[in-house]
């Protein structure tokens, strides 16, 4: 019997997150860390799996103990790791953060001389599975270097706008050559983004990311520009102002955030992404999907970790029923 399509396949970044076990302490003074699976698309796959979806991730690690740890973690979280392959030449990336609630969470990426997840080659892709999955999720980081850029665009072309194809704008200027650009004479990041947007049906980003992709920072203008670039649904995350979603059919949902005492805001967007996939796959209307995704993000913002903090359905439903996020353990 042929294998059933995945609900969600994500593609892109993976790494080890090392987070201080005490908040409000500068990195120079931290002496104990927690080790977690990290990388936005990998966390989105974990978040969707926690909500009962069949997920997989396309990425690469170093051929080292940290890479083995990440593959083990994906399996433990219920994410298929069949397309997570090692690269002997580069070490598995490590990311440190500082945690200063409620809104200061500096990140320090160690992805030199090159991150293995940028060594994804088109020839290694299972394009049949990519075409078949109900949701395909890719990120802006995947466009920052070769061969990942060509492989990401090949996956998008294979989708040919079938099903749900999500472009997580995921703007990380430090990953791009020369800090902001893409090398002398090469297309700008904005041009790379426009190329990918033509194949996406959903775009998700915060105001900074929307500005890079469209040149627009005002939420409604950014959403309209994303739709003009080709997507059916534009999701503009506004932090404390909530989330704006605009559909090509004219539907608008402007949803406030759930009240929460923030511990670490870094994983909230990934929880939002996994819940967004869940809502879209469930056929919910735009407003319900945004409320659900907001709640999932708020739950993770109230916890220290990212991957292990992703909520289960009963936790999201409880937060929605209570109208706020109360303190609970991680991944109960």
């Amino acid at each position: 019997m042929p294998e059933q399509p995945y609900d969600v396949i994500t593609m892109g970044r993976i790494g080890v997150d090392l987070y201080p076990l005490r908040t409000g302490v500068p990195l120079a003074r931290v002496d104990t860390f927690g080790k977690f699976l990290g990388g936005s698309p990998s966390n989105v796959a974990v978040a969707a799996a926690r909500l009962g979806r069949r997920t997989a991730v396309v990425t690469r690690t170093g051929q080292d103990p940290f890479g083995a740890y990440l593959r083990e973690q994906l399996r433990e979280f219920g994410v298929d790791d069949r397309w997570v392959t090692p690269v002997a030449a580069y070490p598995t990336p490590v990311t440190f953060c500082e945690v200063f609630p409620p809104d200061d969470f500096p990140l320090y990426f160690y992805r030199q001389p090159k991150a293995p997840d940028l060594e994804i080659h088109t020839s290694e892709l299972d394009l049949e599975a990519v075409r078949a999955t109900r949701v395909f999720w890719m990120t802006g980081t995947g466009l920052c270097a070769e061969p990942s850029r060509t492989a990401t665009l090949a996956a998008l072309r294979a989708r040919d706008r079938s099903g749900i194809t999500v472009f997580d704008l995921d703007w990380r200027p430090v990953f791009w050559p020369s800090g902001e650009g893409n090398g002398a004479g090469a297309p700008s990041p904005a041009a790379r983004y426009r190329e990918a947007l033509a194949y996406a049906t959903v775009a998700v980003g915060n105001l900074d990311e929307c500005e890079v992709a469209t040149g627009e920072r005002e939420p409604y203008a950014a959403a309209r520009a994303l739709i003009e670039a080709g997507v059916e649904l534009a999701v503009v995350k506004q932090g404390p102002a909530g989330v704006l979603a605009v559909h090509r059919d004219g539907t608008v949902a402007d949803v406030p955030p759930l009240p929460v005492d923030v511990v670490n805001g870094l994983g909230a967007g990934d929880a939002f992404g996994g819940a967004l996939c869940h809502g879209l796959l469930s056929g919910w209307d735009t407003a319900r999907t945004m409320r659900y995704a907001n709640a999932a993000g708020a739950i993770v913002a109230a916890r220290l970790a990212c991957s292990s903090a992703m909520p289960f359905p009963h936790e999201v439903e409880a937060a929605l029923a209570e109208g706020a996020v109360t303190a609970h353990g991680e991944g109960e």
Side-chain angles (χ1 to χ4, degrees), residues 43-255:
N43 281 336
V44 168
V46 170
R50 278 273 169 96
L51 297 173
R53 297 298 177 176
R54 181 169 179 251
T55 71
V57 60
V58 179
T59 189
R60 306 196 74 182
T61 70
Q63 193 168 315
D64 52 29
F66 275 153
Y69 162 76
L70 293 174
R71 292 189 294 276
E72 178 182 297
Q73 285 289 285
L74 287 169
R75 292 192 294 270
E76 287 187 7
F77 287 129
V79 178
D80 195 325
D81 70 333
R82 69 178 64 188
W83 297 304
V84 182
T85 56
V87 178
Y90 303 121
T92 299
V94 174
T95 302
F96 290 88
C97 81
E98 293 177 305
V99 181
F100 297 107
D103 57 5
D104 187 19
F105 308 102
L107 283 169
Y108 303 88
F109 295 99
Y110 292 81
R111 291 169 58 87
Q112 301 300 327
K114 186 180 185 181
D117 55 56
L118 294 174
E119 280 293 302
I120 301 172
H121 293 260
T122 303
S123 61
E124 299 164 343
L125 296 178
D126 185 340
L127 292 178
E128 183 176 347
V130 169
R131 267 190 294 268
T133 187
R134 299 174 69 194
V135 175
F136 178 66
W137 180 287
M138 47 72 63
T139 77
T141 295
L143 303 174
C144 76
E146 293 289 4
S148 172
R149 179 187 303 122
T150 294
T152 301
L153 291 171
L156 289 172
R157 293 188 186 101
R159 293 284 292 171
D160 195 23
R161 297 178 57 83
S162 61
I164 301 166
T165 302
V166 184
F167 183 0
D168 175 4
L169 301 179
D170 185 43
W171 171 243
R172 304 280 184 176
V174 69
F175 296 162
W176 291 74
S178 304
E180 296 181 359
N182 198 30
S188 67
R192 303 290 190 190
Y193 274 50
R194 285 193 296 273
E195 185 175 7
L197 281 168
Y199 297 99
T201 63
V202 180
V204 183
N206 61 31
L207 294 176
D208 291 338
E209 292 164 341
C210 289
E211 186 174 22
V212 170
T214 68
E216 299 285 355
R217 188 171 183 86
E218 193 280 323
Y220 282 90
R224 288 192 295 269
L226 288 168
I227 289 171
E228 289 169 4
V231 306
E232 298 297 313
L233 177 66
V235 180
V236 182
K237 296 184 288 187
Q238 304 172 77
V243 61
L244 170 69
V246 179
H247 197 279
R248 182 178 292 276
D249 66 8
T251 302
V252 176
D254 199 343
V255 180

